[in-house]
């Protein structure tokens, strides 16, 4: 998959674990089962956040949780429900995790879209998604901020990431024909940044056209760099292309910290049934291991998961099987033990 940084140290990593709500808890238990079978040692601290926490205490993201995440080397995050804006969006902002990396990769049966392998690099700190809204007499307004500094660092990350992971093209996605100023700046800074990375091809598309191209020619994409809300929407489209939200992991990365979480939410429609696909959470731990520099263990877990999906015997119902979340995780852990 290819994430970031570091070299495996053989030490014990201090990790904050936030299971959250609904299937967040279920997929977290499953992913930790797989990590238990790996050769890396972790010192976990469990922390609360989400709808249940809000219900109990009136606060969705306790200060202790925020402090704990700041102190740890990385954080695993399951999913929360309606309090997402006050929890994960706040964590990203408070820790200045300016990159949201979302690899879209087809595993198992390739379906109608064939082999798909691209990465969405989503700006994580500003834009419409940061939710600066207010009511007016007429209804409501939202503030959309695009700074040159934030755009430059996300574009730099996208080009450097392409280079580091052997990818050859970065595509900027925007709507600069209509949002002439906010996305005009995004496009302008993107091409300025591209000047420093001439070995990587660069191009750009409008977001509406991209929504179509993703389903008509997904193979034409390599690295997509885009603003916060567009990245959110296009990554769920990416999930649909490769077989569903149960398969898409993500990494929130800043200069000092990382939070690793599936793209999906708490899925109240299937929560409590033990049928959620744990793959997105397991792949999020793979991104965390890469971030920590544990490349070998990352590859092994990824292989154990891919083999499990390819075999198709012990997989959840969204992948065409009838196994539970934990049964699938046990199978991945068993395969990992054999590698
Ligand atoms: P969702 O991602 O929870 O679910 C969308 C659809 O995908 C549902 O049909 C669900 O059953 C399916 N799905 C999701 N994950 C799956 C998995 N691992 N295995 C099998 N099927 C899976 O999005 P939705 O329904 O729009 O939102 C539900 C709640 O989650 C909302 O309260 C929302 O605010 C929250 N949310 C939280 C996020 C986070 O914590 N980062 C991200 C997205 C939504
Ligand atoms: Mg989303």
């Amino acid at each position: 998959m290819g994430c970031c940084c570091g070299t495996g140290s053989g030490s014990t990593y201090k990790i904050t674990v936030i299971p959250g709500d609904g299937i967040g808890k279920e997929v977290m238990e499953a992913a930790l089962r797989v990590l238990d079978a790996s050769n890396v040692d972790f010192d976990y601290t469990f922390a609360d956040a989400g709808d249940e926490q809000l219900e109990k205490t009136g606060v969705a993201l306790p200060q202790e949780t925020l402090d704990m995440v700041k102190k740890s080397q990385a954080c695993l995050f399951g999913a929360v429900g309606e309090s997402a804006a006050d929890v994960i969006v706040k964590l990203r902002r408070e820790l200045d995790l300016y990159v949201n990396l979302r690899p879209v990769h087809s595993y198992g049966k390739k379906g109608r879209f064939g082999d798909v392998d691209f990465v969405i690099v989503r700006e994580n700190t500003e834009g419409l998604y940061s939710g600066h809204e207010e009511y007016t007499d007429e209804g409501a307004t939202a503030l959309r901020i695009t700074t040159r500094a934030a755009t430059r660092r996300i574009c730099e990350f996208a080009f450097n990431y392409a280079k580091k992971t052997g990818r050859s093209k970065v595509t900027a996605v925007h709507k600069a024909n209509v949002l002439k100023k906010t996305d005009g700046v995004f496009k302008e800074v993107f091409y300025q940044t591209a000047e420093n990375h001439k070995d990587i091809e660069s191009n750009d598309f409008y977001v509406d056209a991209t929504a179509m191209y993703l389903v008509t020619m997904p193979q034409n994409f390599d690295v997509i760099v885009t603003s916060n809300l567009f990245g959110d929407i296009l990554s769920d489209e990416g999930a649909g292309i490769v077989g569903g939200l149960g398969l898409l992991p993500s990494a929130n990365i800043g200069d000092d910290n990382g939070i690793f979480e599936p793209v999906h939410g708490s899925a109240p429609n299937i929560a409590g049934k033990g049928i959620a696909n744990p793959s997105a959470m397991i792949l999020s731990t793979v991104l965390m291991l890469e971030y920590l520099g544990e490349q070998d263990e990352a590859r092994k877990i990824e292989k154990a998961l891919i083999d499990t999906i390819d075999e198709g015997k012990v997989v959840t119902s969204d992948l065409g099987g009838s196994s539970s979340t934990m049964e699938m995780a046990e199978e991945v852990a068993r395969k990992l033990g054999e590698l």
Side-chain angles (χ1 to χ4, degrees), residues 145-186:
I145 296 173
T146 309
T147 64
R148 289 178 191 280
T151 308
R152 194 164 295 115
R153 70 179 175 176
I154 198 68
C155 291
E156 273 294 340
F157 180 93
F159 281 103
N160 287 327
Y161 176 84
K163 211 167 291 178
K164 199 161 15 179
T165 55
R167 292 178 181 270
S168 58
K169 181 166 69 181
V170 179
T171 302
V173 173
H174 57 81
K175 189 70 181 168
N177 53 337
V178 174
L179 303 169
K180 289 187 199 302
K181 292 175 183 156
T182 47
D183 265 355
V185 165
F186 192 89

Side-chain angles (χ1 to χ4, degrees), residues 92 102 122 129 231-233 235-236 245 263-265:
R92 290 169 183 160
R102 299 186 152 186
R122 165 191 180 192
Y129 195 94
D232 179 47
I233 297 169
S235 46
D236 275 33
L245 276 166
V263 168
H264 64 72

Side-chain angles (χ1 to χ4, degrees), residues 218-337:
Q219 284 76 18
N220 280 24
F221 291 92
D222 203 352
V223 175
I224 289 174
V225 64
T226 190
S227 54
N228 210 337
L229 181 63
F230 295 162
D232 179 47
I233 297 169
L234 294 178
S235 46
D236 275 33
E237 185 182 358
I241 291 168
V242 297
L245 276 166
L247 291 167
L248 236 66
S250 81
N252 301 280
I253 303 166
D255 290 332
D256 309 312
N257 217 319
I259 297 182
F260 301 84
E261 51 155 351
V263 168
H264 64 72
S266 61
N269 58 335
I270 58 167
K273 297 183 178 159
I275 58 169
N277 183 348
S279 303
M281 188 73 235
I282 294 169
L283 289 167
S284 300
T285 72
V286 169
L287 291 176
M288 181 183 77
L289 285 165
E290 289 175 353
Y291 171 82
L292 294 171
E294 298 287 351
Q295 313 297 339
D296 292 349
E297 285 303 306
R299 294 286 71 74
K300 281 192 203 165
I301 294 181
E302 190 180 33
K303 179 169 169 33
L305 178 70
I306 294 171
D307 289 351
T308 303
I309 294 174
D310 280 345
E311 257 176 41
K313 284 189 204 143
V314 191
V315 294
T316 46
S317 55
D318 57 314
L319 298 174
S322 58
S323 301
S324 70
T325 307
M326 281 313 285
E327 282 165 353
M328 183 166 172
E330 289 293 348
E331 178 64 13
V332 177
R334 193 186 63 73
K335 284 192 161 54
L336 179 61

